[in-house]
Amino acid sequence: MKTALGKEIVLVVDDSPDALSLINDALEHAGMDVLVALEGRQALTIAQRIRPDIILLDAIMPNMDGFETCLALKADPTLASIPVIFMTGLTDTCDVVRGLEAGGVDYLTKPINPNELLARMRVHLANARQTVSVESALDSSGQHLVTVNAHGVMLWGTPQAHALLAKAEIDSLRQAKELAPQIQRWLQQPELAQSQALKVKQLSYPLELKLVAYQSSDEVLVRLIDGNRPTGSALLKSKLSITERESEVLHWIANGKTNREIAEILEMSPRTVNKHLEQLFPKLGVENRTAAAGVALRVLASE
């Protein structure tokens, strides 16, 4: 989020007053609004109340260290997309890897160079804005899409996806305990094809997941599929407000069948099929079979 004046909000989490003072002065001079936390739990509370655009996080702190704090941030779907930059005196490769595995996008060693910090922050803020734009577009598309990491943890989802998860009675606890392990095993399959759907087990409501695309930073875009959704002619009937018989005829047209073949399948005369088509074309706003098939295919593809 941004302030009313359009400034980025930065949350700085560090238990060192000297480090906080240095970073605070540099960020305010760059025109950013700064929030300060002295330890991890305080940082989580502040982030949940005032969602920052980026978080600068010290790795070594009392009570809850930076690694634990970052994991907690990434476990919260409303905060997971906020870029986190680690700041620490730890320089071992294993510590750097640990920070990145916890969900950090970058890692700076102390003492912090303010110019380098600002340069890296601008890169990650620009990437975050681009991600938000894409997610907003997906939100408005009305699709059941979620982003998960390699461990099967959900990082983001459209409102429609969250609604479907709620219908299947999958809360954050069940996501972590039941759903994430299944997704992780599914993603670990060698040469996972986009056509290979995951049928989620241990649910009273049928739910499937289908791979859409691999994204950067080991993130995967996945489509949720409602197991009780209408398909085929039933879907066309519900989406296009046409009769049951018209939807059946249209379904087979979309499958490339001729009037005679449709007549045999639906046990009616070719003349009756033609009459249904005459009523269908005006309802769909088209003039011929090809255009009608195109309408049907777009509806079927959207699901």
Side-chain angles (χ1 to χ4, degrees):
M1 65 177 291
K2 290 187 179 182
T3 63
L5 297 177
K7 294 182 179 181
E8 279 95 359
I9 298 177
V10 185
L11 173 58
V12 184
V13 191
D14 199 316
D15 63 334
S16 167
D18 291 339
L20 285 174
S21 178
L22 172 68
I23 295 169
N24 181 77
D25 290 347
L27 297 181
E28 287 192 342
H29 184 71
M32 299 178 181
D33 280 340
V34 183
L35 304 173
V36 172
L38 299 176
E39 52 88 29
R41 296 192 187 282
Q42 185 182 21
L44 291 171
T45 301
I46 293 173
Q48 289 163 350
R49 291 178 179 174
I50 306 174
R51 190 182 187 278
D53 295 291
I54 193 167
I55 297 173
L56 308 181
L57 184 60
D58 186 19
I60 305 302
M61 296 181 295
N63 301 323
M64 176 184 277
D65 66 23
F67 303 116
E68 292 176 278
T69 304
C70 192
L71 287 170
L73 286 164
K74 297 304 173 181
D76 186 334
T78 63
L79 305 176
S81 61
I82 300 173
V84 176
I85 297 178
F86 276 96
M87 309 177 300
T88 180
L90 300 174
T91 57
D92 288 348
T93 300
C94 61
D95 294 315
V96 176
V97 171
R98 186 182 176 193
L100 297 176
E101 287 182 342
V105 297
D106 211 338
Y107 199 104
L108 287 172
T109 55
K110 294 181 177 179
I112 300 297
N113 181 313
N115 290 330
E116 181 183 1
L117 172 63
L118 287 167
R120 295 199 187 197
M121 285 177 62
R122 290 188 180 104
V123 170
H124 295 301
L125 283 166
N127 290 340
R129 281 193 291 270
Q130 185 177 19
T131 300
V132 169
S133 297
V134 172
E135 291 177 355
S136 296
L138 290 172
D139 281 351
S140 62
S141 70
Q143 299 196 44
H144 303 88
L145 297 172
V146 298
T147 299
V148 299
N149 62 19
H151 301 291
V153 176
M154 195 174 84
L155 306 175
W156 164 86
T158 61
Q160 293 79 15
H162 284 294
L164 182 54
L165 289 169
K167 186 186 290 187
E169 298 181 346
I170 301 177
D171 56 16
S172 58
L173 181 61
R174 293 194 71 188
Q175 283 181 38
K177 295 283 188 181
E178 300 174 22
L179 190 56
Q182 293 186 55
I183 295 175
Q184 183 180 18
R185 289 192 296 270
W186 176 57
L187 293 176
Q188 287 173 344
Q189 295 179 71
E191 300 180 2
L192 177 64
Q194 291 193 345
S195 60
Q196 290 179 268
L198 166 66
K199 291 187 177 181
V200 182
K201 300 176 182 178
Q202 301 172 332
L203 292 181
S204 58
Y205 190 95
L207 188 65
E208 295 182 16
L209 278 70
K210 188 173 182 181
L211 174 67
V212 176
Y214 288 97
Q215 300 180 306
S216 60
S217 305
D218 289 328
E219 294 180 3
V220 183
L221 185 64
V222 174
R223 186 193 308 279
L224 301 182
I225 301 173
D226 187 339
N228 285 338
R229 75 196 188 286
T231 58
S233 61
L235 178 61
L236 295 173
K237 180 177 182 291
S238 65
K239 293 289 185 180
L240 299 174
S241 298
I242 55 181
T243 68
E244 185 170 347
R245 268 311 200 192
E246 288 169 349
S247 67
E248 291 172 343
V249 170
L250 182 59
H251 171 70
W252 289 112
I253 285 177
N255 280 276
K257 300 298 183 182
T258 65
N259 281 15
R260 184 170 295 280
E261 289 172 326
I262 294 172
E264 292 176 359
I265 293 169
L266 299 180
E267 297 181 345
M268 61 176 67
S269 68
R271 180 179 175 82
T272 303
V273 173
N274 199 50
K275 284 192 173 184
H276 283 306
L277 289 177
E278 289 175 357
Q279 295 172 334
L280 257 176
F281 293 162
K283 291 182 178 180
L284 302 179
V286 300
E287 297 181 353
N288 54 52
R289 289 171 55 97
T290 302
V295 171
L297 289 171
R298 281 193 293 273
V299 170
L300 295 170
S302 70
E303 295 297 315

